[in-house]
Amino acid sequence: MSPLHRLQTLEADTLSNVGVLLRELGNLGEAELLLTQSLAIQETAQNGEGVAAAQGNLGGVKEALGKVDEAEGMYRRALALFDLRENREGKDNARIGLGNVAHRRGREDEAKQFWMGAISYFESVGAGGSASVQIARKNLAKLSGEEPLQVAYARNPSQRTPCVLVIDCSGSMSGRSIELVNAGLREFENP
């Protein structure tokens, strides 16, 4: 990678990170501007993975701004690029976004398919607690007529014992190691 290419990628990543932060802070207009700039730089640098990530992030801002058609286009392009690169995490983040768009448009069956597939993947790799997965779960519960887990938990008078898990999330936990942790958690949850 040439020094110019590295510099372009660094600039695009920085704009993207600040854009995502601004989105989280509710400053959607500035987030949209920075993420659009990031996308343009990634496209100029021909960084496919960066283009896909920028499109997914920009899709989230467009969705929050109510620009549903634009959001759907961004999510679909991100999904296609992540698919070409066999990036499962990126694909499933895009699927959550597409589920959100389908839900906004009243296409509930389509939304459920997107969300359930993405949730299944994220749970299988131990990332089921991410914010987007939690939102997808909450939306699925609403569509199913279920009460939120917090409400069901509060209504349950059974005695409980708190349990805290501290799990190593470094690279050494990938593959078989995290599979074993997940299997243990499933056994703990459903004895």
Side-chain angles (χ1 to χ4, degrees):
M1 182 184 297
S2 73
L4 176 60
H5 190 263
R6 277 195 299 269
L7 184 60
Q8 288 174 321
T9 301
L10 179 62
E11 180 184 10
D13 289 346
T14 302
L15 288 168
S16 183
N17 290 338
V18 174
V20 169
L21 178 62
L22 287 169
R23 179 187 69 197
E24 295 303 313
L25 293 173
N27 193 336
L28 300 176
E30 283 187 54
E32 182 180 28
L33 178 66
L34 292 181
L35 290 168
T36 300
Q37 290 173 354
S38 173
L39 175 59
I41 294 167
Q42 295 285 20
E43 288 173 335
T44 300
Q46 298 180 344
N47 179 3
E49 193 79 20
V51 169
Q55 286 177 331
N57 288 331
L58 189 53
V61 171
K62 300 277 189 188
E63 180 189 338
L65 286 167
K67 299 177 181 179
V68 181
D69 289 337
E70 292 178 53
E72 183 172 16
M74 291 287 174
Y75 288 139
R76 288 199 183 279
R77 286 189 293 278
L79 178 62
L81 286 171
F82 282 129
D83 193 36
L84 283 173
R85 283 153 184 75
E86 298 181 7
N87 180 330
R88 181 68 194 265
E89 181 178 349
K91 284 176 13 181
D92 283 304
N93 274 319
R95 284 188 177 115
I96 288 175
L98 287 167
N100 296 344
V101 167
H103 177 60
R104 280 178 166 233
R105 292 188 163 156
R107 300 187 319 241
E108 306 305 349
D109 288 339
E110 184 181 346
K112 284 180 188 178
Q113 283 184 312
F114 281 126
W115 289 332
M116 289 187 328
I119 289 168
S120 174
Y121 165 73
F122 283 115
E123 286 177 345
S124 76
V125 296
S130 74
S132 55
V133 171
Q134 294 302 320
I135 291 168
R137 273 198 194 106
K138 182 177 157 187
N139 289 339
L140 273 173
K142 282 182 192 175
L143 291 179
S144 303
E146 299 171 15
E147 63 184 0
L149 185 59
Q150 296 89 340
V151 174
Y153 184 76
R155 292 177 198 254
N156 181 350
S158 301
Q159 185 174 1
R160 295 181 265 287
T161 303
C163 177
V164 176
L165 298 174
V166 178
I167 299 174
D168 177 7
C169 62
S170 68
S172 66
M173 286 300 292
S174 64
R176 180 83 174 126
S177 298
I178 198 66
E179 289 172 15
L180 291 170
V181 170
N182 286 331
L185 289 172
R186 283 190 294 277
E187 182 65 28
F188 179 74
E189 185 177 50
N190 302 308

